[in-house]
Amino acid sequence: DAYGKRWSKTVSYWQRLLGEGNVLTTPNLEALKGYFNRIVQRIWNLPEVPPEAIEANQRRDFEVGPYLAAIEFYIFPTQKDAKLKVYRPNGQLVKPGSDPDSPPVKHAATFSRLIVLDPEPGVWRYEAEGGRVEVIRNYIPIRLRLISPAMVHPAGKPLRLVLEFKRADGKPIVPDPNYPLGLSADILSPLGQRHQVLFPLEKGHEGIYEGQPEIEDTMAIGEWTIILKVRGGDKFQYQQLVKFQVQKIPYIVIEEPSPLS
């Protein structure tokens, strides 16, 4: 909306239709890529991180949280020779294509993409060389997989949450003592009722965790929402949304015979 005319005439209608927080405007094309990335972050439920501009010969620290599958860096140089260096918490330079956790950089017409897999939590550092660099950083959390309930759940059947929390190679997550791991979920019914479920880590097995307590009141028909949460200490938290339907469908109940009195 560079001129503040055409868009401003319709923005209120879009806000009523989509929700005010889902309508983003920018007065210039330079900021457009940052807004586009915010949309991507919301679609994939990634932590929202604003773009940063690193001046030539400038260093800037940034903190990386625990329990991440990867960090993506989208690098936009403002001139031909501008480059961005990324340093790990131990001070070692990330060397894409040489380091086992960092594939070769992918180059596009206007930007480059650098990725670090299974990053170590702590304080990392940027350093720009040869000119100003704009960088967009995406934190990609290790994804939770909901095993139960199914996408359609019978009304009246107690709801038991079971989830899987593993790395991409199938190995269970080893909790970091510096960032105590916590798994929980909020369950929202179509009637607005909210239930909290916790996943005791000590009762998990090979990355499979069962939620407590079971939800008994499941008669509300319609779309339910589960907000899965991964917490790393008091500072880092990532969320993942899952929706499922509760419908009036038959289900099997197993009744064990009771001893004769």
Side-chain angles (χ1 to χ4, degrees):
D1 193 22
Y3 298 100
K5 295 180 180 179
R6 292 185 179 181
W7 177 253
S8 58
K9 293 180 181 179
T10 61
V11 65
S12 60
Y13 297 98
W14 287 109
Q15 288 175 337
R16 287 199 294 270
L17 180 64
L18 303 173
E20 186 172 348
N22 295 324
V23 179
L24 308 177
T25 61
T26 174
N28 56 71
L29 289 176
E30 288 75 18
L32 188 60
K33 56 182 175 288
Y35 280 86
F36 178 80
N37 198 67
R38 285 180 64 186
I39 294 170
V40 173
Q41 290 169 343
R42 291 185 184 184
I43 289 173
W44 293 102
N45 296 313
L46 302 179
E48 291 191 24
V49 181
E52 292 185 276
I54 314 298
E55 302 295 335
N57 302 318
Q58 181 186 24
R59 295 182 176 184
R60 184 173 299 176
D61 292 343
F62 61 95
E63 193 162 4
V64 173
Y67 313 117
L68 293 177
I71 309 177
E72 288 182 327
F73 302 92
Y74 288 91
I75 304 163
F76 297 82
T78 57
Q79 58 194 65
K80 183 178 179 181
D81 297 328
K83 296 179 181 179
L84 182 74
K85 293 183 176 180
V86 180
Y87 292 87
R88 305 174 188 273
N90 62 5
Q92 295 294 318
L93 174 68
V94 174
K95 298 177 181 178
S98 298
D99 293 345
D101 62 351
S102 184
V105 173
K106 291 187 176 181
H107 299 283
T110 59
F111 67 91
S112 299
R113 175 180 176 268
L114 183 154
I115 187 168
V116 179
L117 305 172
D118 192 20
E120 177 187 356
V123 178
W124 292 54
R125 190 175 79 243
Y126 291 135
E127 184 176 335
E129 281 188 353
R132 184 169 176 266
V133 173
E134 295 179 2
V135 58
I136 292 174
R137 185 171 72 248
N138 281 336
Y139 294 136
I140 303 179
I142 297 170
R143 308 302 291 182
L144 295 160
R145 186 175 74 88
L146 194 64
I147 298 174
S148 176
M151 291 300 96
V152 177
H153 185 79
K157 182 180 179 180
L159 185 64
R160 181 171 64 98
L161 262 61
V162 180
L163 60 79
E164 179 183 77
F165 189 45
K166 295 182 179 181
R167 299 193 179 277
D169 59 7
K171 295 181 180 179
I173 306 300
V174 178
D176 188 326
N178 296 315
Y179 304 91
L181 177 62
L183 302 176
S184 63
D186 289 338
I187 304 176
L188 308 179
S189 80
L191 301 179
Q193 298 165 315
R194 180 183 291 265
H195 306 273
Q196 187 179 54
V197 174
L198 302 178
F199 297 87
L201 299 183
E202 66 276 7
K203 296 184 179 180
H205 179 70
E206 296 296 324
I208 307 295
Y209 301 94
E210 184 174 332
Q212 297 179 354
E214 287 189 351
I215 308 305
E216 299 289 341
D217 183 8
T218 62
M219 292 303 298
I221 306 300
E223 185 177 74
W224 290 54
T225 301
I226 302 175
I227 305 173
L228 299 171
K229 300 178 182 181
V230 179
R231 188 181 70 252
D234 298 327
K235 195 170 185 180
F236 298 100
Q237 180 172 287
Y238 310 116
Q239 296 186 358
Q240 184 176 333
L241 271 65
V242 179
K243 295 181 181 295
F244 67 99
Q245 295 287 330
V246 170
Q247 299 180 4
K248 290 184 178 179
I249 56 177
Y251 63 95
I252 297 174
V253 176
I254 300 176
E255 294 185 357
E256 297 183 1
S258 58
L260 298 175
S261 57

